[in-house]
């Protein structure tokens, strides 16, 4: 049974970096037919896909165009996890953040969610 | 970006009723369409993939149809536990996904 366990702070100050980690159990971050995603949800934006990392013959990261200048997703095979880093956050980045496994162009396993508030 | 538009935004129906939710894509997405159910405080749960493929363990009262730009999620006989918000998601522009705005299904 695949499970995703998220961790990271629930409060981030404006202009700082939001960092979250998603630890995978029951699957491999380097499996070559799966993609590992970050999504967020807020009342104002709804469900918003943020980015993905996946391994085929090498690692590929793809980001939402609106966030490309601020976002980094990376993977750590030794710990079987992947991480989200979002720079220069503002209160508009306040949301529930989810990691999720992508398979057949859908998201079939989700983390528990992390509520992140951007406030001083 | 492909935009996904759901309707209605909310629906109230009685137990046993047939409920239909519609999702329209701003351009053709073949059958790369997924449906999710989300209950308060929980992450979305994948119900249907590739427009009509029911995920394992999902009750057969849920069904999906459509291709191109127009898609439908149907609950054939609404049950109390189906009270939730339902979202569509396009996978045509993989790996970039977009979601619909959601449909809240309530029990009368």
């Amino acid at each position: 049974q695949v499970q995703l366990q998220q961790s990271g702070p629930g409060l981030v100050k404006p202009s700082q970096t939001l960092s979250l980690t998603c630890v995978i159990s029951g699957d491999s971050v380097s499996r070559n037919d799966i993609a590992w995603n970050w999504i967020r949800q807020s009342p104002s934006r709804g469900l918003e896909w943020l980015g993905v990392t996946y391994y085929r013959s090498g690692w590929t990261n793809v980001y939402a165009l609106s966030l490309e200048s601020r976002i980094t997703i990376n993977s750590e095979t030794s710990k079987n996890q992947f991480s989200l880093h979002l720079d220069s956050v503002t209160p508009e980045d306040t949301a529930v953040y989810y990691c999720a496994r992508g398979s057949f162009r859908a998201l079939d396993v989700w983390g528990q969610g992390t509520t992140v508030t951007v406030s001083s | 970006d492909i935009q996904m538009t759901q309707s209605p935004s909310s629906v109230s129906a009685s137990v046993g009723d047939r409920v239909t939710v519609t999702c329209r894509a701003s351009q053709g997405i073949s059958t790369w369409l997924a449906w999710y159910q989300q209950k308060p405080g929980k992450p979305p749960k994948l119900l249907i993939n590739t427009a009509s493929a029911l995920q394992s363990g999902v009750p057969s009262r849920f069904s999906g149809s459509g291709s191109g730009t127009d898609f439908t999620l149907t609950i054939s006989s609404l049950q109390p536990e189906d009270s939730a918000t339902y979202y569509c998601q396009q996978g045509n522009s993989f790996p970039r996904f977009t979601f619909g705005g959601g449909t809240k299904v309530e029990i009368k």
Side-chain angles (χ1 to χ4, degrees), chain A residues 35 37 39 41 47-49 52 54 56 62-65 68 98 103-108 110-112, chain B residues 1 32 34 36 38 41-46 49-50 55 87 89-97 99:
Chain A
N37 297 262
I39 300 98
Q41 185 174 29
L47 283 164
E48 180 183 13
W49 178 84
V52 65
Y54 57 89
R56 300 297 182 257
V62 180
Y63 305 125
L65 296 174
E68 266 189 333
Y98 295 101
S103 177
F104 291 100
R105 306 196 187 193
L107 302 162
D108 63 347
W110 293 65
Q112 79 275 23
Chain B
D1 281 8
W32 295 115
Y36 300 84
Q38 187 178 32
K42 298 292 188 182
K45 173 188 174 183
L46 179 64
N49 198 4
T50 55
Q55 292 294 105
Y87 294 93
Q89 168 250 309
Q90 67 82 17
N92 188 70
S93 58
F94 175 85
R96 291 190 169 94
F97 297 152
F99 295 88

Side-chain angles (χ1 to χ4, degrees), chain B residues 12-100:
Chain B
S12 181
S14 299
V15 172
D17 283 354
R18 183 182 186 89
V19 172
T20 299
V21 179
T22 296
C23 182
R24 175 164 288 175
S26 60
Q27 64 188 74
I29 59 170
S30 183
T31 56
W32 295 115
L33 192 284
W35 289 99
Y36 300 84
Q37 176 193 67
Q38 187 178 32
K39 296 184 177 181
K42 298 292 188 182
K45 173 188 174 183
L46 179 64
L47 297 178
I48 288 169
N49 198 4
T50 55
S52 60
L54 208 63
Q55 292 294 105
S56 174
V58 175
S60 59
R61 63 181 179 272
F62 290 93
S63 64
S65 64
S67 67
T69 60
D70 294 316
F71 301 85
T72 299
L73 171 70
T74 299
I75 309 172
S76 61
S77 177
L78 189 67
Q79 299 302 303
E81 60 267 32
D82 301 335
S83 178
T85 301
Y86 293 83
Y87 294 93
C88 62
Q89 168 250 309
Q90 67 82 17
N92 188 70
S93 58
F94 175 85
R96 291 190 169 94
F97 297 152
T98 48
F99 295 88

Side-chain angles (χ1 to χ4, degrees), chain A residues 15-38:
Chain A
S15 80
Q16 294 192 341
T17 297
L18 179 163
S19 294
L20 298 174
T21 297
C22 184
V23 177
I24 303 162
S25 58
D27 205 340
S28 170
V29 72
S30 54
R31 185 173 153 186
N32 64 6
D33 58 347
I34 292 290
W36 303 98
N37 297 262
W38 287 98

